Structure formats: C-alpha cells, structure tokens
Amino acid sequence: MITVTEKAKEKVEHLIQDAGLDSSYFLRVSVQGGGCSGLSYNLDFDNEEKPGDQFFEDKGVKIALDMKSFLYLAGTELDFSDGLNGKGFNFHNPNASRTCGCGESFSV
C-alpha cells in the first residue's frame, strides 16, 4: 500500500482540476530502471486499468501500481514539498537501500 500525505493529496487534486480531468482518472505510480540509485519513480494520471494493476486509495487519492512496482513500493509514503529546498513529490520508501537527490523528488 502507498500512503499519501495531506500536502500530496492537495497537490494531486489541484493538478487533476487544472488538467480538467474527470473522476475516472487516478494516479499511476511506477518504478523504472535508471537514476543514480538504480531506480526512479514515475507519476502520471491515467484512466485505463491494465492487467495486473494493484489499486489503493488513501485520503481520497486513487493510486494504481503495476505488479513489479508494487513489490518495490509497498509501504511507501508519497509527500509533496514546496519549500526552499525544492518543489515536487517525494517518495519515502522504507524498502530503498540507497537513495540520491535525483531519485527522490519529482516535479509534475
């Protein structure tokens, strides 16, 4: 399961509204090879379910993960920061054995 902080929830809702997306859209979170720590996170909006998708909902944010990403992201918290140290989504992943600045924060 992925949990969502209040700030991340507000930002996701704002982005959905700004993009003019309807309630059929959800947040697709995935892990891809690359980045200096070996993996990078990807966020996107989608409204098509794919075979093997795992769905979770936290604070009203519906999240889809493919099975491979689910194995890496179980227990992860999605946060959003708009402070002086950068603006973007941050993944607090207890499964990550190492991280780097480029793999933790993503602007949407």
Side-chain angles (χ1 to χ4, degrees):
M1 174 171 186
I2 291 183
T3 58
V4 179
T5 66
E6 194 63 35
K7 284 196 94 148
K9 171 193 176 249
E10 291 169 6
K11 186 62 175 179
V12 167
E13 289 174 345
H14 180 75
L15 290 169
I16 287 174
Q17 184 178 19
D18 282 357
L21 304 177
D22 62 38
S23 63
S24 69
Y25 281 82
F26 49 85
L27 185 64
R28 181 170 294 282
V29 181
S30 61
V31 174
Q32 298 175 332
C36 59
S37 66
L39 295 173
S40 61
Y41 303 103
N42 186 44
L43 290 174
D44 203 357
F45 293 115
D46 196 352
N47 66 349
E48 293 185 27
E49 186 174 339
K50 297 178 183 167
D53 276 349
Q54 303 293 308
F55 284 91
F56 303 96
E57 189 167 333
D58 187 40
K59 295 183 179 63
V61 176
K62 190 172 181 183
I63 300 168
L65 297 153
D66 60 70
M67 185 52 79
K68 177 185 142 196
S69 298
F70 171 72
L71 296 173
Y72 287 106
L73 294 172
T76 296
E77 178 185 66
L78 178 62
D79 193 14
F80 184 79
S81 173
D82 56 0
L84 296 174
N85 291 331
K87 182 176 184 177
F89 287 99
N90 299 294
F91 293 85
H92 303 288
N93 187 344
N95 304 308
S97 59
R98 60 189 173 136
T99 59
C100 65
C102 71
E104 291 185 339
S105 180
F106 299 91
S107 298
V108 174

